[in-house]
Amino acid sequence: MSNQSMNGFIGITSKQPASVPLASSGTKSASRPCPHNPGISCSNCRLSDLCLPISLNKSEIVQLDEIIERNRPLRKGEHIYRQRDEFRCVFAVRSGSFKSYVLGADGQSRVTGFFMPGEIIGMDGIGSRIHGVSTMALEHSSICEIPFAQLERLSHQLPNLQSRFFAIMSNEIVKDQQIHTLLSSYTAEQRLASFLLSLSARYARCQLSAERFILHMTRSDIGEYLGLTLETVSRVFSSLQKKELVLVKNREIEIKEMAKLKAILGE
Amino acid sequence: MSNQSMNGFIGITSKQPASVPLASSGTKSASRPCPHNPGISCSNCRLSDLCLPISLNKSEIVQLDEIIERNRPLRKGEHIYRQRDEFRCVFAVRSGSFKSYVLGADGQSRVTGFFMPGEIIGMDGIGSRIHGVSTMALEHSSICEIPFAQLERLSHQLPNLQSRFFAIMSNEIVKDQQIHTLLSSYTAEQRLASFLLSLSARYARCQLSAERFILHMTRSDIGEYLGLTLETVSRVFSSLQKKELVLVKNREIEIKEMAKLKAILGE
DNA sequence: GACTGCAATTGATCAATGACAACTATTTTT
DNA sequence: AAAAATAGTTGTCATTGATCAATTGCAGTC
């Protein structure tokens, strides 16, 4: 709704699934013109050691590069895809951040995940060929689009890529299991502590500060993700601040006592 | 502890990771002697259309069969592997059922999943090469052991197998996301209803009754899985019985009003 | 700068579920 | 078969976090 009216032109949404022409999958060499991001490729991407290319050699990365489409950036609120859309691609976050969510029978949304640079989005659709969630940019963001049929074909040629993708999916399963235990046994405070520590570690992974960062999601998003109400999220932030473990100024977070924050999870 | 003292001989545990000799991976033809299950192979397994072999052709199934090890059955309480064990294999449930669980810092366990025939266990270890959970038989059960290195090698030769395994892992991710939303927004009654319906559907999938089945896990296991105490699980079962939606007699469940049970999730 | 709408905070109250405890039933061991 | 251990039920009370409501803060727009 407002998502589409806020743009002059519409992004990669369900309304025009085939609107973005794929690269011809021919066998020309490394440098391929990319309309929105000339000169950007996996080979020179500073995320390449946390993203898909890990454990690939130079020539393999070049081949991977061939099938990746780098589209124009997405604005805050734009969707990569929506629940029930046909699955065609997985996506790597190049910059910015995203949330995935489902709409329940009653119409209210539940957030299933947040995604940061170097992370892969959309793997839930591989088995069913349908996206089970919607995924939306939380800020101005850019992604690499990877047509899955081509990724499968290439994985078949490159054992390293096959292994890498198995590993990425496995890590996603582990992450989901950790959230399972979080949701089934942690208190509100433990959930928030765990959430902040997770964000911190992921920011650190992409060379950003582990102590100071911006929450690009709302309190409500966080609550939907952690199984809490937005009021509880707000209250716990206030309480953590009163204890001087963190400093919360709107969306800005500063972790003052990393060790004590971890100690909350300790027992 | 009691797990090991209860057996005269010890199963596939961390204590003897290499105790079960793998099949030689040579290229001999279909029928391969299997010490504990002569004559059993994927080709004649009645689960073959819900397990790994889906979408493989005859000759591909024979090749898959080559790398699968079918060990002696496990007794109730025996482990397939334990948390922190080195990852080497994934496992398919042939009969019986299993639970996976983690032990928290405080020593109490949290159940991360239940597994029924035709389902694949152990994929959490692929990325990290370490099992993040322990997996235990809930009853007398048997499994197919699939050395992952060989599975990867074979997947590289058989595109259908590669696709199939991507799909299985994706389905696992979807399942985990559904539990995420269950834990973050459902009431105790909705969780139990959803749990019973899930079991029912999975029993139906392997040709068993969708209306009558046995719970092989304890109330405590169910509670740990659903983020409830065992007392709450017990109370909700009693309440569902009072409403005549189900009949609960110890571990025996009979679903009397499938539609009404689904309606609990409806709003 | 005032207006509008969304996001966040804080307070008061309530309800669902947890914790503890007593008791019963079932299974396992001897 | 008896004894012991484990599993399950039910009751009471306590607590966490949800709900409802009022207020403040902030960002974008006219």
Side-chain angles (χ1 to χ4, degrees):
Chain A
M1 44 184 77
S2 68
N3 168 44
Q4 308 228 337
S5 54
M6 76 192 270
N7 321 322
F9 58 111
I10 297 169
I12 308 162
T13 73
S14 57
K15 307 308 167 196
Q16 36 172 237
S19 66
V20 184
L22 297 175
S24 70
S25 54
T27 47
K28 55 192 159 162
S29 141
S31 272
R32 190 168 48 89
C34 176
H36 300 95
N37 303 280
I40 294 191
S41 74
C42 288
S43 316
N44 64 21
C45 179
R46 62 185 184 77
L47 297 171
S48 67
D49 53 345
L50 26 131
C51 187
L52 247 180
I54 299 183
S55 81
L56 302 190
N57 65 35
K58 283 245 171 206
S59 105
E60 289 168 335
I61 292 180
V62 168
Q63 290 181 72
L64 175 60
D65 224 38
E66 280 284 316
I67 68 171
I68 292 182
E69 190 66 19
R70 294 177 184 81
N71 302 302
R72 66 161 187 79
L74 283 81
R75 305 174 189 203
K76 181 174 170 175
E78 280 188 287
H79 282 79
I80 306 180
Y81 53 80
R82 290 168 192 270
Q83 205 170 348
R84 308 262 113 228
D85 277 2
E86 185 198 353
F87 167 82
R88 275 185 40 253
C89 301
V90 295
F91 304 87
V93 180
R94 199 159 70 248
S95 68
S97 52
F98 294 84
K99 72 167 178 182
S100 287
Y101 65 96
V102 287
L103 294 177
D106 50 0
Q108 68 190 0
S109 87
R110 290 283 133 192
V111 172
T112 61
F114 296 110
F115 299 91
M116 315 233 313
E119 298 177 350
I120 305 294
I121 298 178
M123 293 179 287
D124 58 284
I126 294 171
S128 61
R129 318 307 297 180
I130 301 279
H131 283 293
V133 300
S134 301
T135 300
M136 172 193 278
L138 292 170
E139 60 189 301
H140 195 79
S141 302
S142 58
I143 52 176
C144 297
E145 179 176 337
I146 310 161
F148 189 70
Q150 292 182 250
L151 180 62
E152 263 192 321
R153 228 175 293 137
L154 188 59
S155 297
H156 179 58
Q157 291 161 35
L158 308 177
N160 286 340
L161 181 58
Q162 188 199 60
S163 288
R164 176 68 191 137
F165 205 71
F166 280 146
I168 286 174
M169 294 188 81
S170 168
N171 291 339
E172 180 78 17
I173 290 169
V174 170
K175 207 191 66 182
D176 288 345
Q177 282 177 348
Q178 287 167 348
I179 291 163
H180 184 148
T181 71
L182 177 146
L183 291 173
S184 68
S185 61
Y186 285 17
T187 63
E189 188 179 52
Q190 289 178 315
R191 293 179 200 198
L192 260 301
S194 173
F195 176 70
L196 290 178
L197 289 168
S198 163
L199 284 187
S200 167
R202 288 150 84 190
Y203 276 114
R205 233 178 67 117
C206 41
Q207 324 290 348
L208 296 169
S209 168
E211 285 81 31
R212 289 179 59 97
F213 48 85
I214 305 285
L215 300 174
H216 291 283
M217 64 294 284
T218 66
R219 302 290 192 262
S220 175
D221 287 335
I222 298 170
E224 286 175 23
Y225 180 67
L226 296 176
L228 302 169
T229 58
L230 68 94
E231 291 95 331
T232 299
V233 172
S234 176
R235 270 185 253 273
V236 173
F237 275 154
S238 298
S239 143
L240 289 175
Q241 179 157 38
K242 198 172 296 168
K243 294 185 194 170
E244 301 191 314
L245 302 194
V246 299
L247 218 139
V248 187
K249 168 96 178 169
N250 277 316
R251 301 281 181 99
E252 283 173 52
I253 293 285
E254 181 173 354
I255 299 180
K256 308 290 281 182
E257 298 275 7
M258 188 74 81
K260 289 188 186 168
L261 206 55
K262 284 176 181 160
I264 290 178
L265 307 176
E267 65 272 19
Chain B
M1 46 183 74
S2 69
N3 168 44
Q4 308 229 339
S5 54
M6 76 192 269
N7 322 322
F9 59 110
I10 298 168
I12 309 164
T13 73
S14 57
K15 307 308 168 199
Q16 35 173 237
S19 67
V20 184
L22 297 175
S24 70
S25 55
T27 46
K28 56 192 156 161
S29 137
S31 271
R32 190 168 50 91
C34 177
H36 301 94
N37 303 280
I40 295 191
S41 74
C42 287
S43 315
N44 64 21
C45 179
R46 61 185 185 76
L47 296 171
S48 67
D49 53 344
L50 25 132
C51 188
L52 247 181
I54 300 182
S55 82
L56 301 190
N57 66 35
K58 283 244 171 208
S59 105
E60 289 168 335
I61 291 180
V62 168
Q63 290 182 71
L64 175 61
D65 225 38
E66 281 283 316
I67 67 170
I68 292 183
E69 190 65 19
R70 292 176 185 81
N71 302 303
R72 68 159 186 77
L74 282 82
R75 306 176 187 201
K76 181 173 169 176
E78 281 188 287
H79 282 80
I80 306 179
Y81 53 79
R82 289 167 192 273
Q83 205 170 349
R84 308 262 111 230
D85 277 1
E86 186 197 353
F87 168 82
R88 275 186 41 252
C89 302
V90 295
F91 304 87
V93 180
R94 200 159 71 247
S95 68
S97 52
F98 294 84
K99 72 166 178 183
S100 287
Y101 65 97
V102 287
L103 294 176
D106 50 0
Q108 67 190 359
S109 88
R110 290 283 132 193
V111 172
T112 60
F114 297 109
F115 298 92
M116 314 232 315
E119 298 177 349
I120 305 294
I121 297 177
M123 292 179 287
D124 58 285
I126 293 172
S128 62
R129 319 306 297 178
I130 302 278
H131 284 292
V133 300
S134 301
T135 301
M136 173 194 277
L138 293 171
E139 60 187 301
H140 195 80
S141 302
S142 57
I143 51 177
C144 297
E145 179 175 337
I146 309 161
F148 188 69
Q150 292 182 251
L151 181 62
E152 263 192 321
R153 228 174 293 135
L154 188 59
S155 296
H156 179 58
Q157 291 161 36
L158 308 177
N160 285 341
L161 182 58
Q162 187 200 59
S163 288
R164 176 67 191 137
F165 206 73
F166 280 146
I168 286 174
M169 295 189 80
S170 169
N171 291 340
E172 180 78 17
I173 290 169
V174 170
K175 209 191 65 183
D176 288 344
Q177 282 177 350
Q178 287 167 349
I179 291 164
H180 184 149
T181 71
L182 177 146
L183 291 173
S184 68
S185 60
Y186 285 16
T187 64
E189 188 179 53
Q190 288 177 314
R191 292 179 200 198
L192 260 301
S194 172
F195 177 70
L196 291 178
L197 290 168
S198 163
L199 284 187
S200 167
R202 287 150 83 191
Y203 276 114
R205 234 178 66 118
C206 39
Q207 325 288 349
L208 296 169
S209 168
E211 285 81 32
R212 289 178 58 97
F213 48 85
I214 305 285
L215 300 174
H216 292 282
M217 63 295 285
T218 66
R219 303 290 192 261
S220 175
D221 287 336
I222 299 170
E224 285 175 24
Y225 180 66
L226 296 177
L228 302 169
T229 59
L230 68 95
E231 293 95 329
T232 300
V233 172
S234 177
R235 270 185 253 273
V236 173
F237 275 154
S238 299
S239 143
L240 290 174
Q241 178 156 37
K242 197 172 297 168
K243 294 184 194 170
E244 301 191 315
L245 301 194
V246 299
L247 217 139
V248 187
K249 167 96 177 167
N250 279 317
R251 301 277 181 101
E252 284 173 51
I253 294 286
E254 181 174 355
I255 299 179
K256 308 291 282 183
E257 298 276 7
M258 188 75 80
K260 289 187 186 167
L261 205 56
K262 284 177 181 159
I264 290 178
L265 307 176
E267 67 268 22

